[in-house]
Amino acid sequence: MDGATGRYDLLVVGGGPAGMAAATTARELGLHVALVDERPSLGGQIYKQPGEGFVVRDHAALGRDHVAGRVLIDATQRSGAHVLLRTSVLTLRDGDVVLHTEGEPVRTVRAGRVLLAPGAHDRPVVFPGWDLPGVLTAGGAQTLVKTQRVAPGERVLFAGSGPLALAFPAQLHGYGVNVVAALEAGPPPAPRDALRLLGAARGNRQLLLDGLRYRAALLRGRVPLRYRRIVVRAEGGDRLAAVVHAAVDSGWRVLPGTEERIEVDTLCLGYGFFPSVELMRVAGCALRYDEDLGGPVVELDEWMRTSVPGVLAAGDGTGVAGALVAVDEGRLAAIGAALDLGRLPLPAARERARPLRARLDRKRVFREALGRLYRVGPGVYDLATADTVVCRCEEVTCAAVDRAAETTADVNVVKGYTRAGMGLCQGRSCQRQVAARVARRHGLRLAEVPTGTPRSPVRPVPASAVADEQLQDGGFFTRDA
Amino acid sequence: MTRDPAPGDGAVLSPSAAHLRQELPADTDVLVLGGGLAGSAVAYYLAREGVDVVLVEREELNRQASGTNAGSFHFQIALHQLTAWGTDNVRDRLLAEVRLHAQAARMWTELEQELDAPMGVHTTGGLMVAETDAELRLLVDKNRIEAEAGLETQVLLAGELRAFAPYLADDLTGASYCATEGHANPLVSAPLFALRAQQAGAEIRTHARVREVVARTPAGTGFTVRTDAGTIRARRVVNAAGAWAGEVARLSGLTLPLRAEGLHVNVTEPREHVLDPLVQHIGRRLSLKQSGNGTFIIGGGWPSAPAPHPSRHTTRWDSAAGNMGVAVRVMPGLADVRVVRMWTGVMAFTDDLSPIVGESGAVPGYFTCIATTGFTLSPLMARLLAEHMARPSSRPLPPEYSPDRNPAGRPAA
C-alpha cells in the first residue's frame, strides 16, 4: 500500500483464478494492486494445492487444474501485487473497502477500482437428514482431501449433477478415497448431446476431453455411475449410516417405487454452485436471475463493470462457468480497470481485450450448451418434509417457514418471524430454499421472489477488531431542528 | 408474566396474507395510516372500543423502526433528554415524560396478558453507567427527578456496581439502576397487535401506499384517501407513519415538527448468558443487552447513511466502530465475541423529542400518533389516543403533545 495515501489503483477481492489473473494483468499494465483472500494461501477453491503425503493414485483424475493453478499462483507472487491473505472484506462503499486480517484490527483502504472475484459456493440441497454429521458438500470434501490430507470417510457416496459433477468423485477416487457409487441427477450423455457439445465446442476440445476423462477415471476405478437418481433422505442417529436415493424424471421429481438404500458413512453433495454474490449485494450492484448460472447473478457491461461506479466483477462469482472462463474474465476486468483509471487508451484496451473476448465467446457457448444439459430441476426444492430443518444456524424447520409464508410473500418478513437466515452464515445456506417455499405458497416463480436485504459484515468479525474508541457519536440526538 | 415466542416453532401471530390483501373497504370511521407498532396498536385499541377502523400500510407490517429497533424499554431519563439541563421548563418537561415512562413500564408488564400471546417481554432491569465523576453527579440529579415523577431508580457507586455487575469494566464510576427496564421482541410485537386488532373487527391492508389525503369541505366532515389499493372515505384519520409521518402530513397540507433519522444496530454470535440488565451510558451513545438466544444486541443512536425509500439506509462502518468502541469499553468481555450482522432502522425524531399525539387544530379529524422513543412509548400513546378518540370529553390528551404545539404545525398557506 502507498503509505502516504493508503490507496490502491485496484483492489482485487478473491485469490482464485479470476482474481489472480486480474492482479497479474493489472500489474503488467502498471497499476498499483492489492489482492485479498480469506484463505491462508492463494489458489481459490479449484486451485487448492494437494495435501502433502497423499497417495496420488491417478494423476489424470487430478486434472490439469493443480498444474494450471501453480503457474498462476507463481505469476501472482512475482507480479508485485500486494497479496493480503487471511483477510476478509467485511463491506465496501464508495471506494472504501473495509478489511479484516485475522488477529488484526479492522482497517479501511481506498481503491480507485475494486474487482470482486469471490468465486462460488456449493448449492445447498435440503432433504431429510441433510444436516447429519457425515453429509458434506463436495467443496468441503475437496478441501479436506486437498489441504488436510483427510479422507472424508470409509464408504463415500457421491450425489450431484452438472458439468463438474463427475470431476468430484473422480478427484476423490484419484486421491485414494473409497467412492462406492456416484449418482447424477441429470441424464446420461446421449450421442445427440455429444454432437451438440462438439458443435459448440470449436476450440474447446480440452474442456470436452476433461469431461470424458473424469468419466473414464470413474469407470477404470469401477465406481458405479448412475444417472437420473437423486438423494431422497439421509438416515442415522449421531451420524450418517445410510442414504436412500431414487429415480427422478427430467424435472428431478422423484418417481414413486424407485427408492434404494445404501449404507455409507459419508455423503458428498455436488449439485452445482451458487455464485457468491454477498459482497456484490452489500455494495448495491444490480443483479438478475439465472437459475442455470446459480440464481442471482450480477449485471456486467463489456468491461466487467457492475452497475455501481468503481466496482467490477469477474469469475464464478458472476455466474458459474469454471476456471478457464474466470481467468479470461479476470484479465478483461483488469484491462477495464486500467481503461477507467486512464492508464490505458481505449484503442489499446480494445486491442488487448480482443483475443480474450474471442476465447470467452467460444467457452461461453460451450458452457451454455453443457449447462442446458444439466439444468437443475425444480424437484430439488421438494425433497424437504415439514420437520426438515431448513436453516441450520437457527434451527428453523420447513413447517415454520411455511407458517410464516401464510402471512407474507416477503422473505424479509419470513426471516423476521422465523429467524431463518439470521445466523452465522447470513442465509447463504437457506435463502434459496426459503424463497422456493415462499414462491410455491404464493404461486410465484422463484425468480420473482426478491432476495432478503443484504447485511454487513459479510464475514463475522470480533468486536475488538471492529471497536474504535476514538470515534465520537454522530450527535443527531442533539441537532437543532 | 414472561413468555418467549418460540421462533421457528410457534404459530406466526400476524394477520394472514389472505386478509391483508383483500379489497379495501369503501368507508370507515377511522383510517390509520401506517402498519408499525403505533398504527397496529391504535387499530387494536380503537377496535376494542368498538370503533370502526381500517389500517393501511404501504409495504408489509412492521418493516421499519418498529421491527428494526432493538426492542429495549427506555424508562430512565436518557442522555439526549438532558441537553438543556438546568432550566425550569426542561425540568417540568422531564417530570412529565418520566411519569409517562413509569406508566409505560406498568403497561408493558401487562401487555402479554392483555394480548394473550408471548411478546418476549423480559423485565431484566437496566443500568445506565457513568465513566467520570461529572457523569455520576448527573446520574444523582437525574435520580431525584425520576423519584419525584414516580419512577424508581437507584444510584450504585463504583464498588456497588462492581459487585452487582462484575462483567462490566471495573473502572466505571457508577451507574443508575431501574428495575422495570428490559426488552420485548420487536419482530413479533406489532404483528400481534395487528392480529388482535383484526380479531376485534379492524381491517388491515398492506401494499396500500397513501397517495392523497383530502379533507372534505366543510371542515370536519371527513377525508377521502386515495391509496395504491383503492380509495376509502374516513370520518377521521390517524397519522402513525413514524419516520414518514412528516411526508404523510404534507399530503394534507400539515407540517409536523419532526425529522427522520437512521440508526445503526449490531448483533453478535450467541454466547453463554452472562448479562441480565439492559446497559446504557449517561455520557455516550450505547444500548447493550443479551437476548434470550444469547446474542448481544448493541446500538444506542449511531447514524446510518440515508437512502430514499424503499431502499434501506446503509450501515456506516464508522458507526459500527464507534458503537463497538463504547460497548467493549463498558463490557470488556465482549472483545472476542464476533459481530455477525448490522442493520439500520429509520425512526422519527420529533424536534423536542416529545411525542406528537393528538388532534390537529387546523384540520379537525386529523390525529397523529408518533413518538421518538417509539418502541417503549407507542403502545401507551396508542391506548391514550384511542381512548380519547372513543370518548373525547372524558379522556383529554396532554396539550404538550399536541401536533399544533409548534407554530410550524399550522397548515401551509
Side-chain angles (χ1 to χ4, degrees):
Chain A
M1 179 169 29
D2 177 343
T5 61
R7 193 188 161 90
Y8 295 101
D9 294 325
L10 176 66
L11 184 119
V12 179
V13 183
M20 292 192 293
T24 51
T25 302
R27 286 296 301 142
E28 286 165 17
L29 295 171
L31 302 191
H32 190 39
V33 179
L35 171 66
V36 303
D37 194 285
E38 55 194 2
R39 299 181 180 88
S41 59
L42 287 174
Q45 179 68 18
I46 186 155
Y47 292 159
K48 256 180 206 155
Q49 298 299 293
E52 286 167 39
F54 241 89
V55 182
V56 177
R57 188 189 285 169
D58 187 344
H59 277 283
L62 288 186
R64 291 162 297 121
D65 284 349
H66 73 281
V67 180
R70 200 62 249 173
V71 170
L72 254 184
I73 291 168
D74 291 344
T76 307
Q77 282 166 342
R78 281 196 312 269
S79 71
H82 190 172
V83 177
L84 306 167
L85 297 171
R86 294 190 168 89
T87 301
S88 315
V89 177
L90 302 179
T91 191
L92 69 157
R93 190 165 154 246
D94 301 337
D96 284 339
V97 184
V98 181
L99 299 178
H100 177 233
T101 303
E102 269 175 48
E104 292 178 22
V106 169
R107 65 202 152 127
T108 301
V109 299
R110 283 197 66 75
R113 287 292 178 277
V114 179
L115 170 62
L116 302 178
H121 55 271
D122 292 278
R123 168 192 285 270
V125 173
V126 177
F127 49 83
W130 75 292
D131 50 345
L132 276 175
V135 180
L136 64 170
T137 62
Q142 200 181 35
T143 300
L144 274 178
V145 172
K146 281 190 181 180
T147 67
Q148 312 290 313
R149 295 174 261 159
V150 172
E154 300 288 317
R155 287 173 56 78
V156 178
L157 174 68
F158 175 84
S161 98
L164 293 176
L166 297 185
F168 283 115
Q171 273 190 349
L172 291 176
H173 178 72
Y175 277 110
V177 174
N178 177 25
V179 181
V180 297
L183 310 176
E184 157 67 78
R192 183 169 48 95
D193 299 326
L195 284 177
R196 193 175 347 161
L197 285 176
L198 277 172
R202 272 186 306 118
N204 284 296
R205 256 173 49 84
Q206 198 56 54
L207 284 168
L208 200 58
L209 287 175
D210 275 354
L212 294 173
R213 233 183 37 239
Y214 294 138
R215 189 155 183 257
L218 288 177
L219 294 174
R220 266 200 313 281
R222 304 198 196 297
V223 175
L225 182 55
R226 304 185 59 186
Y227 290 93
R228 283 243 185 274
R229 293 194 76 82
I230 198 170
V231 170
V232 174
R233 67 179 175 273
E235 299 176 348
D238 293 343
R239 63 165 291 128
L240 182 70
V243 171
V244 175
H245 56 95
V248 290
D249 65 14
S250 59
W252 294 22
R253 282 170 289 255
V254 170
L255 302 174
T258 61
E259 291 192 355
E260 288 177 30
R261 190 170 179 278
I262 181 169
E263 288 186 7
V264 289
D265 60 7
T266 304
L267 171 61
C268 286
L269 301 169
Y271 286 100
F273 303 90
F274 279 157
S276 298
V277 294
E278 296 82 20
L279 270 174
M280 298 166 202
R281 297 184 60 219
V282 162
C285 303
L287 303 173
R288 68 193 160 83
Y289 187 92
D290 186 335
E291 185 74 49
D292 289 344
L293 290 176
V297 289
V298 67
E299 299 268 19
L300 295 172
D301 74 3
E302 77 274 22
W303 293 106
M304 311 304 286
R305 301 181 190 107
T306 71
S307 64
V308 174
V311 179
L312 302 94
D316 279 355
T318 69
V320 178
L324 296 177
V325 170
V327 164
D328 285 339
E329 285 186 350
R331 296 200 195 286
L332 190 55
I335 296 167
L339 172 69
D340 285 355
L341 292 165
R343 307 287 278 275
L344 196 62
L346 184 59
R350 285 193 175 133
E351 190 54 35
R352 266 186 171 265
R354 187 174 301 130
L356 298 172
R357 293 191 195 285
R359 263 207 313 272
L360 278 171
D361 287 346
R362 285 201 302 271
K363 285 177 194 161
R364 280 186 187 129
V365 170
F366 177 75
R367 292 284 178 185
E368 279 164 21
L370 211 52
R372 276 193 295 275
L373 280 182
Y374 293 104
R375 182 164 293 168
V376 171
V380 76
Y381 294 113
D382 295 337
L383 299 169
T385 56
D387 57 355
T388 305
V389 167
V390 54
C391 166
R392 272 198 289 206
C393 300
E394 298 286 331
E395 296 183 359
V396 181
T397 62
C398 285
V401 169
D402 291 349
R403 278 197 296 273
E406 283 300 309
T407 74
T408 181
D410 183 333
V411 292
N412 288 303
V413 180
V414 171
K415 178 175 164 183
Y417 285 137
T418 61
R419 301 192 62 81
M422 286 192 181
L424 274 183
C425 90
Q426 292 262 41
R428 263 185 293 281
S429 300
C430 67
Q431 63 185 6
R432 304 298 303 145
Q433 190 73 27
V434 169
R437 298 193 85 83
V438 168
R440 183 161 53 183
R441 167 61 187 76
H442 294 276
L444 303 168
R445 287 182 300 117
L446 192 48
E448 293 172 318
V449 179
T451 49
T453 310
R455 305 290 192 201
S456 303
V458 171
R459 292 287 185 268
V461 55
S464 57
V466 178
D468 180 348
E469 231 213 302
Q470 303 312 309
L471 282 167
Q472 298 301 306
D473 81 64
F476 52 50
F477 277 91
T478 54
R479 198 182 80 183
D480 289 326
Chain B
M1 183 171 65
T2 288
R3 289 189 286 175
D4 262 319
D9 292 323
V12 173
L13 295 173
S14 162
S16 68
H19 173 87
L20 294 170
R21 306 301 291 270
Q22 272 174 23
E23 212 175 310
L24 192 66
D27 287 286
T28 184
D29 178 351
V30 179
L31 180 69
V32 179
L33 315 176
L37 185 58
S40 302
V42 167
Y44 166 72
Y45 289 112
L46 283 172
R48 202 188 58 169
E49 297 279 347
V51 176
D52 184 24
V53 56
V54 175
L55 179 152
V56 287
E57 159 59 42
R58 78 178 147 180
E59 43 178 50
E60 299 276 340
L61 297 175
N62 200 38
R63 287 290 291 142
Q64 300 296 338
S66 303
T68 53
N69 80 94
S72 303
F73 303 147
H74 299 289
F75 300 140
Q76 302 189 54
I77 297 172
L79 168 62
H80 60 258
Q81 293 171 298
L82 297 173
T83 45
W85 184 255
T87 59
D88 266 359
N89 58 354
V90 165
R91 202 184 118 79
D92 291 343
R93 203 191 76 206
L94 284 177
L95 274 172
E97 280 179 15
V98 176
R99 284 192 192 102
L100 213 58
H101 291 183
Q103 211 180 336
R106 284 191 294 280
M107 183 169 175
W108 270 107
T109 61
E110 295 157 5
L111 261 183
E112 288 181 325
Q113 210 157 7
E114 155 98 31
L115 299 178
D116 191 26
M119 301 171 82
V121 176
H122 288 264
T123 307
T124 59
L127 285 168
M128 191 173 287
V129 302
E131 269 184 82
T132 64
D133 290 335
E135 286 175 354
L136 182 60
R137 280 194 295 278
L138 210 50
L139 288 180
V140 173
D141 291 345
K142 172 180 97 63
N143 168 260
R144 289 204 191 100
I145 295 202
E146 287 162 347
E148 193 178 332
L151 181 75
E152 214 174 296
T153 59
Q154 183 186 347
V155 175
L156 308 176
L157 301 179
E160 296 169 301
L161 178 60
R162 279 197 295 275
F164 182 80
Y167 40 80
L168 296 185
D170 58 11
D171 60 345
L172 297 171
T173 54
S176 129
Y177 180 71
C178 173
T180 50
E181 284 187 326
H183 60 265
N185 183 346
L187 296 171
V188 304
S189 296
L192 177 63
F193 266 116
L195 177 64
R196 295 298 184 241
Q198 182 210 333
Q199 289 164 341
E203 297 289 336
I204 318 277
R205 297 293 181 271
T206 55
H207 302 273
R209 181 175 185 161
V210 171
R211 300 288 178 178
E212 228 174 41
V213 181
V214 180
R216 291 195 299 269
T217 48
T221 56
F223 300 84
T224 300
V225 180
R226 189 167 59 82
T227 81
D228 287 353
T231 297
I232 179 168
R233 294 160 60 94
R235 193 165 73 84
R236 298 177 285 180
V237 297
V238 178
N239 180 343
W244 287 270
E247 277 177 37
V248 170
R250 275 193 292 280
L251 296 174
S252 305
L254 287 168
T255 306
L256 295 177
L258 62 81
R259 64 183 199 274
E261 296 281 7
L263 268 65
H264 179 105
V265 189
N266 314 276
V267 66
T268 72
E269 63 188 328
R271 285 293 176 92
E272 197 177 326
H273 195 86
V274 290
L275 175 66
D276 274 333
L278 168 70
V279 179
Q280 300 180 82
H281 195 302
I282 187 63
R284 299 163 75 184
R285 305 298 336 162
L286 176 68
S287 133
L288 158 67
K289 62 174 173 284
Q290 192 171 13
S291 69
N293 60 22
T295 61
F296 292 91
I297 299 170
I298 300 161
W302 291 80
S304 60
H309 181 84
S311 296
R312 298 254 148 190
H313 280 211
T314 49
T315 45
R316 278 174 44 175
W317 195 262
D318 55 346
S319 280
N323 201 174
M324 297 313 293
V326 190
V328 175
R329 163 72 184 91
V330 168
M331 185 171 170
L334 286 174
D336 74 330
V337 181
R338 291 183 298 170
V339 178
V340 299
R341 197 157 23 95
M342 301 168 182
W343 69 90
T344 60
V346 180
M347 61 183 249
F349 274 64
T350 63
D351 290 351
D352 55 10
L353 300 169
S354 295
I356 307 176
V357 178
E359 184 172 9
S360 161
V363 184
Y366 196 102
F367 294 80
T368 59
C369 188
I370 302 141
T372 292
T373 317
F375 191 74
T376 302
L377 290 179
S378 284
L380 175 62
M381 293 294 114
R383 196 182 73 195
L384 296 178
L385 179 66
E387 288 171 354
H388 168 76
M389 290 176 76
R391 286 162 283 153
S393 50
S394 66
R395 300 291 180 120
L397 285 167
E400 59 268 32
Y401 300 146
S402 158
D404 297 330
R405 67 177 178 272
N406 186 314
R410 309 259 181 266

